[in-house]
Structure formats: C-alpha cells, structure tokens
Amino acid sequence: MNKIITLGPEFSYSYNLALEYYKKEDIICVQSIEDIFEKVFKNKNYKGLVPIENMINGSVRESFLSIRKNPVIILRAIDYAIDNIIAANNKKYSKIVSHSQPLAQCSQFIKNKKGIEIIEVSSTSKAMEMAAKDRNVAAIGNERAAKFYGVNILQKNISNKMVNVTRFIEISSKKDKDFLKGKKTSLIIEPFKDKAGILFEILSVFKIKEINLTKIESIPTGAKMNDYIFYLDIDGSLEEKRVADAIKFLETFVKVKVFGSYNIACSK
C-alpha cells in the first residue's frame, strides 16, 4: 500500500482531500509543505499531496520554494472546492488563527473584525485544535475539522468569493507510465547566466511553437538579489512534437527541469 504524505494535523483541507481521493491509501500527516516534499523526494514508496495555487489568493509560495529544492514528478493535479468557515467556543473571541492561505482568502471578513489579533499557523486543522483549547481563539478552516475538534461553527461561507477552489498536485520521486501523457506540462527553467531579455527569449520559444503558457512563477535562487528561476505550466503533452521541440531548443541556452505531463481532476 502506498503512503500519502500531506499537511496535517488530521482534517486540514489537504488531509480531507486525501481522505476523499485516496480511499485505500495510508495517509501520513506532517507539519509543513516542505516536509512533504522532503519525505517524498527521499522515499520512492511515498506520494505527496500539496496545495499549489488558490483561485483567490494565488500561488502557495512554500510549494514553489520546496519543488525547487526537491525536484519531484507531478503525477496529477486535483481542483478542490474550499468552503471556509469560522468556528469558536466563544462568540466574543479576541484572536483569529489559520493558515496563511485561508487568512488571505477571507481577508474581507477579517477586515470587518476590529481589534481582533490575527495569528498565522501551519494548517487549518492546527487552528481548530487551538480553538478547541482556548475560548479566546476562533479558527478559520473547514466544517469537518470543527466537528472533529469539537468547536462550534459561528459562520459559513466567509471567503471573499462564493466559489473558491484550490489546486493540489500529487507528487512522487519516480516517473510512472504516464509521465509523457496529459494535457498540462510543468517545468522549471534556470538561465545559464543573467542577461537582458532572457525572459523574452524564453517566452518567445513558446510563442513560436504556438504553446499556451498558463502560469509563470518567479522563484528566487537565494544566491543574490534579483536572481530568479522560472516555474512554468503549459498546455500540451511531452508526447507532442511541438512541446518536445520547444524544450529541446530551450536546453540550448537554459537549464530545463521537467516535472512531467499530467491531467487535472476535480474533486467534489
């Protein structure tokens, strides 16, 4: 049985998705997104499930920083509907706690709570655990976590938008038989050297090959200020000649790390 590594404690959004999507797998919770990547990168029998982007708040920065340090394979993506609620065992709470993503996704709700201290924690389930222990704490998270930790739901649907979706990726340290297949391909591009117009040159290759670029994320190298590598999502499969040719040409002037081609599923 494969082990699925995801962000815990139990009943975080990541854990809930793993519970729904991998019904026969052994789910292991860790304390950070970086921990997921590290464990999957070092163990071929592990798969990981990590949030990569939210439609309201954008990229999950920790995931992009981790994927650079631990270059894994992306097996698939899953779009998961997020329904943020606030829960507390005291209506007169003085603190709101949650993961950075839900805090940002519910910024309009939080803005109206004057004089409330906002605290960022490692996961939504950790926030619920804190709310269960401290009557001054309200947690933003999901209904399943609130019920599990015995925290009263005060209000539902508190996200800035009624429709709120987070994309998760399933990662592995080994390629599967479908590595070349799928409607989307992800890669990291690292210039051999910094020069004027390098990003334009990179993007021009996709334009010439008529490949739609759906995402570009700048990731700092940490070597010096204003020094970046680029994470890209493109429409197309590694099986397609235009995609293979584009990558081959890019490799003449930049370093390319391909994470694989994969499809996007939607979870209820």
Side-chain angles (χ1 to χ4, degrees):
M1 179 181 290
N2 286 319
K3 296 184 184 297
I4 301 296
I5 314 299
T6 195
L7 185 63
E10 292 182 348
F11 302 105
S12 65
Y13 281 114
S14 299
Y15 178 86
N16 289 346
L17 175 58
L19 202 61
E20 295 170 19
Y21 203 80
Y22 306 98
K23 300 184 186 302
K24 297 181 180 181
E25 306 289 355
D26 186 11
I27 303 170
I28 298 173
C29 292
V30 295
Q31 295 301 307
S32 72
I33 289 173
E34 185 176 8
D35 287 342
I36 301 172
F37 278 90
E38 289 180 352
K39 288 185 180 297
V40 170
F41 186 66
K42 294 175 181 177
N43 194 314
K44 291 184 178 180
N45 293 321
Y46 289 0
K47 294 179 181 179
L49 187 66
V50 292
I52 195 80
E53 184 175 11
N54 176 261
M55 63 174 288
I56 296 175
N57 196 46
S59 300
V60 180
R61 199 66 176 162
E62 189 180 354
S63 295
F64 287 101
L65 295 174
S66 297
I67 204 170
R68 179 186 177 242
K69 294 178 184 177
N70 304 280
V72 293
I73 304 302
I74 299 176
L75 301 178
R76 63 180 51 81
I78 306 169
D79 285 352
Y80 188 53
I82 302 297
D83 184 9
N84 287 311
I85 59 101
I86 189 160
N89 288 333
N90 180 4
K91 293 182 179 180
K92 296 182 179 180
Y93 54 84
S94 59
K95 302 173 184 177
I96 293 177
V97 301
S98 194
H99 185 270
S100 59
Q101 278 283 326
L103 289 175
Q105 294 163 24
C106 304
S107 60
Q108 293 175 11
F109 172 86
I110 292 171
K111 185 178 179 181
N112 293 324
K113 298 295 180 179
K114 306 298 182 183
I116 300 293
E117 183 181 0
I118 309 302
I119 301 173
E120 182 180 323
V121 294
S122 59
S123 70
T124 53
S125 50
K126 180 64 177 178
M128 289 295 173
E129 187 178 38
M130 292 171 64
K133 296 177 180 179
D134 188 342
R135 289 178 59 82
N136 292 316
V137 170
I140 292 178
N142 63 81
E143 287 190 51
R144 187 178 287 175
K147 292 176 182 177
F148 177 79
Y149 288 103
V151 188
N152 295 325
I153 298 171
L154 302 182
Q155 189 173 336
K156 299 181 181 181
N157 302 316
I158 64 169
S159 298
N160 294 347
K161 293 184 177 180
M162 290 298 293
V163 178
N164 183 13
V165 174
T166 292
R167 176 162 294 171
F168 289 77
I169 53 173
E170 180 189 306
I171 59 174
S172 173
S173 62
K174 60 182 180 181
K175 297 178 182 179
D176 67 2
K177 60 182 178 61
D178 295 324
F179 178 77
L180 300 178
K181 301 177 181 178
K183 295 180 179 180
K184 186 172 290 292
T185 300
S186 296
L187 54 152
I188 276 182
I189 291 177
E190 183 175 356
F192 291 139
K193 62 179 181 178
D194 189 21
K195 64 176 183 178
I198 184 64
L199 183 56
F200 175 79
E201 291 182 24
I202 293 168
L203 299 181
S204 294
V205 174
F206 296 104
K207 170 64 176 175
I208 292 168
K209 294 296 182 180
E210 297 184 339
I211 298 171
N212 186 36
L213 182 66
T214 59
K215 184 175 184 62
I216 180 167
E217 185 81 15
S218 300
I219 305 172
T221 64
K224 60 181 181 179
M225 287 295 294
N226 301 319
D227 192 32
Y228 295 94
I229 61 174
F230 306 102
Y231 176 98
L232 292 86
D233 285 342
I234 61 174
D235 284 340
S237 165
L238 291 167
E239 288 186 316
E240 297 180 52
K241 185 177 185 303
R242 61 184 182 128
V243 173
D245 287 349
I247 292 173
K248 185 176 181 180
F249 184 74
L250 284 167
E251 289 174 333
T252 64
F253 65 97
V254 294
K255 182 180 178 180
V256 181
K257 166 61 184 175
V258 180
F259 298 105
S261 295
Y262 55 92
N263 291 315
I264 301 172
C266 291
S267 179
K268 294 181 180 179

